Amino acid sequence: MNAKTADKIATGVIYAISGIVALILFAMLAFILVQGVPHLSWHFLTSPARAFEAGGGIGVQLFNSFYLLILAMLISFPIALGAAIYLNEYAQKNHFTAIIRTAIEILSSLPSVVVGLFGFLLFVVQFKLGFSILSGAIALTLFNLPLLTRSIETSLAQIPDLQREAGAALGLSRWETVLHVILPAAVPSIVTGVVLSAGRVFGEAAALIYTAGQSAPALNFADWNPFNISSPLNPMRPAETLAVHIWKINSEGIMPDVSAVSAGASAVLIIVVLLFNFSARKLGMKLYKKLTSA
């Protein structure tokens, strides 16, 4: 067998494997959407869930998911950005940075249920935060921080050193070069990584079962005082998210329309995650044009 024939066979095998993986993914998404989309309605998206009666929705769970996501990203993004800038722009190759990178790799390989149990023991029990949005947001930060740090660090590493040298030649300090040259150029990749990690966090369930809880108390959306227990903005209340709700109703749901609720909630979860993925690159390019227009 000559080299050209072997290359064609290898290329064909790779294309076939890629096609099979894409076909499996497409089939899974199509099955979930076909089963769930017919059950979607404005009432379903905005009404609260019902434990024993038919006709419930996912309004509270959907709000909880977005609220938890926003809090988790507000906590994790500044930490990940600072860590990535340090590792890529300032850190020397020594034992200290090796320990940091090893810790990041270990954290990224932890199963989400382990992160949830750790969050339960530390934040819920030890710090006495209880089953709350704050406990869930901190647990999601631990879950999301390694992926986000590596993503931002990779984005910064892709910027050519020529731009750093140009900043130094203009008399800019290292920090000014990072702030005014490197970060604007890396914005598309950074935003893509942030949005993709947000989609991953939005669909997380195991880490939230033990931290944010499995209950969704009635909320008064006319009360925006975060110190009131019925306020949607109260970070100390328990909050069942959409992913946890799907797991719960499939494991112990007893409402008559449990199949319809499960299918509809799963379709909403898939649609939101797909929107996160499809909007990542477009948003990154818009920000890049805005920041580098001068």
Side-chain angles (χ1 to χ4, degrees), residues 80-144:
L81 180 62
I85 291 175
Y86 168 75
L87 290 172
N88 191 74
E89 303 294 332
Y90 292 92
Q92 303 294 328
K93 292 184 178 180
N94 51 38
H95 293 294
F96 179 69
T97 55
I99 292 174
I100 294 178
R101 295 183 185 278
T102 302
I104 292 175
E105 293 295 330
I106 293 174
L107 281 174
S108 65
S109 63
L110 287 177
S112 57
V113 65
V114 174
V115 176
L117 289 172
F118 173 78
F120 171 76
L121 294 174
L122 185 61
F123 308 124
V124 176
V125 177
Q126 188 65 31
F127 291 167
K128 301 186 185 303
L129 297 177
F131 291 106
S132 63
I133 291 178
L134 184 59
S135 299
I138 300 175
L140 287 180
T141 297
L142 298 177
F143 176 74
N144 188 44

Side-chain angles (χ1 to χ4, degrees), residues 47-64:
S47 62
R50 297 181 181 179
F52 306 103
E53 301 176 357
I58 56 171
V60 175
Q61 287 78 10
L62 193 59
F63 176 84
N64 289 339

Side-chain angles (χ1 to χ4, degrees), residues 88 151-161 163-164 186 189:
N88 191 74
S151 174
I152 298 177
E153 184 185 1
T154 302
S155 301
L156 297 176
Q158 291 175 348
I159 306 302
D161 289 336
Q163 296 196 29
R164 297 175 176 85
S189 299

